[in-house]
Amino acid sequence: MLALSELPTCPGLFYGSRARDGILSRMRIPGGILNAQQCRTIADLVDRYSTGCLQVTNRANLQIRDLNSPVSDEVWQDLLELGLASRRVEVDPIRNIMASPTAGIDRQQLLDTRPLVKAWDDYLQTHSELSELSPKFSIGFDGGESVSIRDLRNDILLAAEGRSTKSEIVFRLHLNGDTGILIQESQCISVLAALASAYLEYTKNRPRIDGKKPRLRHLLADWGAESYLERVQQNLPFLLQYTSCTFLKNRQDACSTNSEFPCGVGILPARSIASSEKSIPNHQHLGIYPQQQSGFSYMGIALPLGKLESKQLRNLANLAQNLASGTLRLTPWQNLLISDIPNSQLFEVKQQVADVGLHSSATRLDSCLVACAGSSGCASAATDTQSHALAMVRDLAEKLTIDLPINIHFSGCEKSCAQHRPIDITLVGIQIERGHEIIEGYNIYAGRKDLPFGRQIFQRVSAVEMPGAIERMLRVYQRFREPLESFGEFVDRQAIDQLQELFSTEKWNLK
């Protein structure tokens, strides 16, 4: 690990970063999949060098906070041999490769993306020059699973889809939106390499932005998508195939069969796959679901705020090894799955999960609870989001029950690091002046309308008053919703003034 004076802002395993609560180290887990031996080694590492607690992140990393001493070379070597450390230190801080946590086992999947995740990770490991890219450079693979990552933020997303008239699976390329480009599975790594190479060229000729390496979004703003893809094409031995003239409508020759960019020639129209038209619920992986493999199921387990004690990780690893295939899968919703459970063992697995203090229910308020590090770990945060979130859940659990999942997001500031899009309820931390005192509080938003947080319902609610405001919102929702209507759907169909009146009024006997 680097000396403290050299620590960067984006943490990796070798490159920790400073936080208010100490040094933060983040372990890349490509695709989020761990075996039992890896889990036990991580648990031992956390016990030895930290406080015995780790967190699953919103890219299915594992992160360790409050490291109390540098990790020894011997331990690094052990991690490397187990496949838990980058073979090249330089590329270690680059963001984790994201894939569906049900890749290879999802009954709805079109294609198993796990080989592509490994192939792209191998490419990163053998091309140290890519360390010059922003560490926030992010790649996602969606194989058409029911547990989809299409809606999650990635610089580049390859999303599998089927063809309407033949049993062919291709990937559609997204760069902050659909490019109209279809890619064969065998071409995916070459296209990603060409995209990364053109991006690398851009970074070499641009100054840092606020002291940081330029992001891919800066490239798209400067060059435009069409120019970017033209440069990418120059580094490919095959022609990119377009289904429409999305980026080429101003080029008269774009659709010519002799064009550098053939536009739909011989390409069949693609069909929409796997809820691509709507947001994917954060809870869809929680609970027990049958796998593609007959006689087996997976169990999605809730981790409140993504937190996992080392002893829980160790016990889950043993459980998975003894009763399943020995595999744990981390999710970008900060939970985890145990896969390949024989159906005959489901009752025993569920009981042992309860014995370690966890559960698989999607209808508990701590199941879909998300919070950033908050003021205890981040200088940008105005509020102690982690403590406030857990206190709210404890308070509400004593007063009401819910029968449909509700996503509640606590953000200590407007950066919204923990969750990048609105779903149900978002609380944004602020400082409030009350007389001569400065207290912590929140602006409260709801629904999916009006990015980035939803529509504002309450302003300047103190942290003490906040649980009561959330309780009123949930009780109104439960009383006036349509059958099976989610909280977000209920909010979005109401006028804002009506919502504020409903949530604020005392005339309803909600108790």
Side-chain angles (χ1 to χ4, degrees):
M1 182 175 292
L2 294 180
L4 296 187
S5 60
E6 301 172 331
L7 294 179
T9 56
C10 290
L13 179 60
F14 300 98
Y15 298 91
S17 67
R18 281 195 182 89
R20 278 192 170 179
D21 53 356
I23 301 301
L24 170 64
S25 181
R26 188 170 293 155
M27 189 176 296
R28 291 175 70 251
I29 314 292
I33 299 178
L34 292 166
N35 61 44
Q37 185 180 4
Q38 289 173 325
C39 291
R40 286 190 284 266
T41 299
I42 293 168
D44 292 343
L45 173 68
V46 173
D47 285 340
R48 180 175 174 182
Y49 290 99
S50 186
T51 57
C53 186
L54 28 67
Q55 280 184 302
V56 179
T57 75
N58 60 5
R59 292 201 64 85
N61 296 295
L62 276 175
Q63 68 182 22
I64 308 168
R65 305 193 74 94
D66 195 20
L67 282 170
N68 51 41
S69 65
V71 178
S72 70
D73 291 340
E74 180 183 353
V75 171
W76 290 131
Q77 187 60 38
D78 290 343
L79 294 174
L80 185 61
E81 290 175 1
L82 284 173
L84 288 170
S86 295
R87 299 192 296 276
R88 285 189 178 272
V89 175
E90 304 95 318
V91 299
D92 182 65
I94 291 179
R95 278 186 165 171
N96 200 25
I97 304 167
M98 190 183 289
S100 168
T102 55
I105 62 173
D106 198 297
R107 298 180 81 182
Q108 186 175 300
Q109 77 173 26
L110 298 171
L111 187 145
D112 184 355
T113 61
R114 291 177 295 177
L116 288 171
V117 170
K118 183 180 185 308
W120 179 245
D121 188 55
D122 287 342
Y123 187 89
L124 285 176
Q125 302 290 343
T126 54
H127 290 77
S128 59
E129 70 275 10
L130 296 185
S131 64
E132 294 303 314
L133 300 175
S134 166
K136 297 184 183 295
F137 180 55
S138 55
I139 304 291
F141 296 93
D142 188 285
E145 299 90 352
S146 59
V147 183
S148 175
I149 64 158
R150 286 176 181 243
D151 282 355
L152 302 183
R153 182 177 291 182
N154 283 287
D155 286 337
I156 300 170
L157 173 70
L158 294 179
E161 56 183 47
R163 311 307 298 277
S164 58
T165 62
K166 57 182 179 178
S167 58
E168 178 189 6
I169 306 301
V170 294
F171 284 88
R172 186 175 290 265
L173 173 65
H174 296 257
L175 301 173
N176 194 28
D178 183 8
T179 64
I181 293 175
L182 298 183
I183 303 169
Q184 304 296 321
E185 180 184 0
S186 61
Q187 298 172 337
C188 285
I189 302 306
S190 295
V191 172
L192 290 175
L195 287 162
S197 178
Y199 175 27
L200 185 61
E201 177 189 346
Y202 171 82
T203 62
K204 290 177 179 178
N205 298 306
R206 293 296 187 280
R208 292 189 172 229
I209 300 171
D210 296 328
K212 299 176 182 177
K213 296 176 181 178
R215 301 280 301 276
L216 188 66
R217 58 184 168 86
H218 297 125
L219 177 155
L220 292 171
D222 287 351
W223 283 358
E226 179 181 347
S227 177
Y228 180 34
L229 290 170
E230 286 177 347
R231 296 173 191 239
V232 168
Q233 178 67 80
Q234 294 169 7
N235 292 322
L236 290 172
F238 51 84
L239 296 178
L240 292 170
Q241 296 181 325
Y242 286 80
T243 58
S244 67
C245 296
T246 307
F247 294 125
L248 304 174
K249 58 186 177 183
N250 295 324
R251 291 180 49 156
Q252 297 300 316
D253 63 344
C255 292
S256 166
T257 55
N258 295 321
S259 169
E260 190 176 42
F261 295 88
C263 189
V265 177
I267 303 299
L268 298 168
R271 63 182 176 88
S272 176
I273 294 293
S275 305
S276 60
E277 299 293 325
K278 58 191 293 187
S279 295
I280 306 300
N282 283 21
H283 56 81
Q284 193 160 329
H285 61 287
L286 293 174
I288 298 172
Y289 298 89
Q291 290 185 190
Q292 186 181 78
Q293 296 78 11
S294 179
F296 292 86
S297 296
Y298 68 86
M299 178 184 293
I301 300 170
L303 304 177
L305 299 182
K307 292 185 177 181
L308 189 62
E309 296 176 6
S310 58
K311 62 181 180 181
Q312 290 176 316
L313 178 60
R314 197 177 284 109
N315 288 336
L316 288 174
N318 293 337
L319 184 164
Q321 187 169 50
N322 294 333
L323 299 176
S325 65
T327 299
L328 298 184
R329 296 168 177 244
L330 311 179
T331 85
W333 300 281
Q334 297 184 267
N335 295 315
L336 61 80
L337 313 181
I338 298 177
S339 62
D340 312 305
I341 307 169
N343 290 339
S344 60
Q345 300 281 21
L346 283 171
F347 179 82
E348 179 65 22
V349 169
K350 190 171 183 179
Q351 183 59 54
Q352 289 196 28
V353 168
D355 289 344
V356 302
L358 299 171
H359 66 86
S360 61
S361 171
T363 55
R364 283 178 42 168
L365 285 170
D366 62 359
S367 300
C368 304
L369 186 66
V370 178
C372 68
S375 56
S376 63
C378 176
S380 298
T383 55
D384 187 358
T385 56
Q386 301 262 322
S387 294
H388 293 160
L390 293 175
M392 179 205 70
V393 165
R394 287 193 295 268
D395 179 75
L396 295 185
E398 297 176 356
K399 298 176 179 178
L400 54 80
T401 58
I402 60 172
D403 59 350
L404 290 174
I406 296 176
N407 175 270
I408 303 178
H409 169 212
F410 282 75
S411 184
C413 71
E414 293 192 351
K415 293 179 182 178
S416 193
C417 295
Q419 183 166 289
H420 301 300
R421 71 189 192 283
I423 294 186
D424 288 327
I425 300 172
T426 298
L427 300 94
V428 179
I430 57 172
Q431 297 283 299
I432 303 173
E433 291 187 27
R434 293 279 174 92
H436 298 292
E437 187 180 6
I438 302 293
I439 62 173
E440 295 184 355
Y442 293 91
N443 291 329
I444 301 178
Y445 302 79
R448 296 174 179 172
K449 294 181 179 179
D450 297 342
L451 295 173
F453 303 118
R455 290 185 290 170
Q456 189 172 88
I457 306 299
F458 298 122
Q459 284 185 298
R460 302 172 64 78
V461 178
S462 73
V464 173
E465 299 164 336
M466 174 268 296
I470 301 300
E471 180 187 358
R472 291 200 304 277
M473 294 170 72
L474 297 184
R475 289 189 182 276
V476 167
Y477 157 65
Q478 289 182 323
R479 180 163 181 173
F480 296 106
R481 75 183 188 194
E482 299 293 336
L484 300 180
E485 184 176 40
S486 73
F487 185 92
E489 291 168 341
F490 168 77
V491 166
D492 286 346
R493 70 177 172 87
Q494 315 289 338
I496 187 65
D497 54 348
Q498 182 181 14
L499 276 175
Q500 290 170 333
E501 180 182 359
L502 278 172
F503 290 151
S504 299
T505 187
E506 298 296 331
K507 72 180 180 180
W508 306 110
N509 180 20
L510 299 177
K511 298 292 186 181

